[in-house]
């Protein structure tokens, strides 16, 4: 049995990864110092803890961001790998330096709602870039992975618990109105992270079961330009043989897909699901007609 060898990233790939991690970390620094921090609005995780500690001690935010993330560099190295740990170190270092350099810059707005909305958007895009290219700017995810192995809770549930506790702490430090603005910023950042990682042109998997599978498949090929795969299936209730059509489309093509299936078999079974990543095959966009 031949074990596949791990291929090293090319120089172009490494440069591209470095550029986007630097850009993402810089955007996070802008979101923090130009929008959130001057308006006493925090984010979740280590960033939120750092903002609170910086406010209470008057120590620069960048120092807390770097020092509090140090233990997670080593955990990330052991749990995920050297590339992840190095990318995280670079990202956190740039974020920390960026917040220090931008601290004297006056905020663009003193309206807490505008600061929460736009700060959350910029922060989310920056964090999403870093995650998409193999790094991290917050150690709570690594802690959640470790705790998840010894608890019945998922990684997402553990992270949410940490962040709710941190955001609630902001109420005692900055006041409850600022804690609520922080929750708005956190939610917007969370959604922007998803959009940045997955992209606007989200892919979808489609499963179709119909006796008119051949006609539907040919129509998908002709009218959507998408490749299809025919799978053999068996009905669990009837025990009869079934043919299943599988294909991948974009979100914008979903309505046309449903129209095609409706034209050939209104009673066909149709299931559509989200896909975060598509590689290989013949997934190329063609004109819809």
């Amino acid at each position: 049995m031949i074990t596949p060898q791990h291929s090293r990233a090319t120089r172009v790939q490494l440069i591209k990864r470095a550029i986007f991690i630097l850009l993402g970390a810089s955007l996070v620094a802008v979101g923090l110092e130009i929008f959130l921090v001057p308006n006493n609005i925090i984010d979740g995780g280590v960033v939120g803890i750092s903002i609170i500690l910086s406010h209470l001690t008057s120590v620069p935010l960048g120092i807390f961001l770097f020092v509090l993330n140090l233990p997670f560099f080593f955990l990330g190295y052991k749990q995920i790998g050297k590339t992840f740990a190095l990318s995280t170190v670079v990202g956190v270092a740039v974020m920390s330096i960026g917040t220090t350099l931008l601290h004297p810059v006056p905020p663009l707005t003193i309206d807490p709602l505008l600061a929460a909305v736009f700060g959350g958007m910029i922060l989310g895009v920056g964090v999403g870039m870093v995650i998409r290219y193999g790094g991290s700017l917050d150690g709570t995810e690594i802690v959640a992975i470790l705790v998840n192995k010894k608890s019945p809770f998922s990684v997402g549930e553990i992270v949410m618990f940490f962040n709710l506790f941190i955001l609630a702490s902001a109420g005692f430090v900055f006041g409850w109105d600022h804690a609520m603005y922080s929750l708005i910023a956190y939610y917007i950042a969370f959604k922007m992270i998803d959009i940045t990682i997955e992209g606007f042109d989200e892919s979808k998997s489609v499963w179709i079961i119909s006796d008119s599978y051949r006609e539907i498949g040919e129509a998908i090929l002709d009218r959507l330009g998408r490749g299809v795969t025919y799978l053999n299936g068996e009905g669990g209730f009837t025990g009869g043989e079934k043919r299943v059509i599988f294909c991948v489309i974009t979100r914008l093509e979903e309505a046309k897909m449903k129209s095609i299936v409706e034209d050939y078999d209104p009673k066909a079974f149709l299931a559509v699901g989200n896909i975060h990543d598509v590689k290989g095959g013949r997934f190329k966009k063609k004109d819809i007609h």
Side-chain angles (χ1 to χ4, degrees):
M1 181 176 179
I2 300 176
T3 303
Q5 297 294 320
H6 174 68
S7 59
R8 290 181 176 272
T10 65
R11 180 175 296 180
V12 174
Q13 290 173 327
L14 291 174
I15 293 174
K16 181 180 179 181
R17 174 183 294 176
I19 289 173
F20 278 99
I21 288 177
L22 293 175
L23 178 59
S26 300
L27 285 175
V28 172
V30 170
L32 289 173
E33 287 292 351
I34 305 300
F35 291 94
L36 301 183
V37 174
N39 289 281
N40 293 329
I41 298 172
I42 74 168
D43 186 34
V46 172
V47 173
I49 296 173
S50 299
I51 293 173
I52 293 174
L53 292 177
S54 177
H55 176 79
L56 295 175
T57 62
S58 298
V59 174
L61 174 61
I63 293 178
F64 282 114
L65 288 174
F66 192 81
V67 171
L68 294 182
N69 272 300
L70 275 177
F72 305 117
F73 298 156
F74 301 102
L75 289 175
Y77 179 83
K78 292 183 178 180
Q79 295 295 322
I80 304 177
K82 180 171 65 175
T83 302
F84 171 81
L86 180 60
S87 300
T88 300
V89 169
V90 172
V92 172
V94 171
M95 176 179 64
S96 302
I97 295 171
T99 55
T100 302
L101 295 176
L102 290 172
H103 186 69
V105 179
L108 287 183
T109 179
I110 57 173
D111 185 319
L113 181 58
L114 289 176
V117 172
F118 287 95
M121 290 174 61
I122 295 172
L123 187 75
V125 171
V127 172
M129 278 187 185
V130 175
I131 294 175
R132 183 166 183 168
Y133 288 92
S136 175
L137 296 178
D138 197 291
T140 53
E141 289 87 354
I142 301 173
V143 173
I145 292 172
L146 296 176
V147 175
N148 168 255
K149 294 180 179 180
K150 299 181 180 180
S151 73
F153 301 105
S154 67
V155 173
E157 289 171 338
I158 296 169
V159 171
M160 181 62 71
F161 173 78
F162 285 156
N163 288 335
L164 287 177
F165 177 78
I166 294 167
L167 291 170
S169 301
F172 296 99
V173 178
F174 301 115
W176 293 107
D177 53 343
H178 288 279
M180 287 185 278
Y181 285 125
S182 298
L183 190 60
I184 293 173
Y186 174 74
Y187 177 78
I188 292 174
F190 179 80
K191 300 305 291 185
M192 291 304 299
I193 289 171
D194 282 347
I195 291 174
T196 305
I197 294 174
E198 298 172 9
F200 285 99
D201 198 19
E202 184 180 0
S203 300
K204 292 180 176 288
S205 61
V206 180
W207 303 81
I208 305 166
I209 302 176
S210 171
D211 292 333
S212 303
Y213 67 90
R214 186 66 65 181
E215 293 85 352
I216 294 175
E218 290 175 355
I220 293 171
L221 286 166
D222 179 57
R223 295 167 63 183
L224 283 182
R226 295 298 185 190
V228 299
T229 301
Y230 298 111
L231 307 174
N232 293 320
E234 180 180 336
F237 182 72
T238 63
E241 292 185 358
K242 299 286 185 180
R243 296 303 294 273
V244 182
I245 303 172
F246 173 77
C247 69
V248 177
I249 61 175
T250 66
R251 179 172 53 188
L252 299 178
E253 296 167 334
E254 183 178 353
K256 188 64 179 179
M257 170 65 73
K258 292 178 179 178
S259 175
I260 292 172
V261 175
E262 180 72 19
D263 288 344
Y264 287 92
D265 185 1
K267 296 183 179 180
F269 173 83
L270 172 66
V272 181
N274 294 328
I275 296 179
H276 293 166
D277 196 13
V278 178
K279 293 183 180 179
R282 306 176 70 177
F283 190 72
K284 294 182 179 180
K285 183 75 176 70
K286 296 185 180 180
D287 293 336
I288 299 174
H289 62 86

